[in-house]
Amino acid sequence: RVPMDTFKILVPVHEGAYENWKQFSRALLTHVNPYTQRSYANEPALAWLAMINEGNMGNFFRDIRTFPEWKAAWNRWLTARYSNRAALASAWKQELKDGEDPAAGTVELPERLQQEGLRARDGIAFLSHTERELVLKMKRFLRDELGCRALVSNASSWTRFGTDQGAR
């Protein structure tokens, strides 16, 4: 059994967690309402869905830093953004530590998002990109595979980080 917040944290970066979310969503939305004879996906009374309740990643950043799947995703994102370690070092200057190289998967996430510097700025951009991509992927699944037309959101949360603005 995985704790709820751990599951929320893993869905964007762990294929098994995402597949579990799809399995749950499929079971819920293909269920037929016995009174209307429509699946919940086609039920007009279903006005909206929170794909992951309070799922914006800024809420969980302290914990995100402890998951190797997130560090690997961060390093892949950095590798795509900067052509190599030298380009990252040129941008970040002294913020890039000796031994950190995105190609080797060794660049640490920022300690906090609310701090000065390019590492934190890129951390916010990375979380924003990751959340936006997740929301688009989930929305495609709900719309294209399940035919659900309810309004969808992943942003029923208590923070106002820039991490969730792209997804909103």
Side-chain angles (χ1 to χ4, degrees), residues 109-123:
L109 284 152
E111 288 184 33
R112 296 175 328 151
L113 296 176
Q114 306 92 338
Q115 63 186 27
E116 296 294 321
L118 296 176
R119 186 184 297 255
R121 180 212 60 195
D122 278 352

Side-chain angles (χ1 to χ4, degrees), residues 127-138 140 167:
L127 291 177
S128 179
H129 170 83
T130 302
E131 185 168 345
R132 186 176 192 295
E133 290 302 308
L134 176 67
V135 166
L136 291 172
K137 185 166 117 174
M138 291 172 139
R140 277 191 303 273

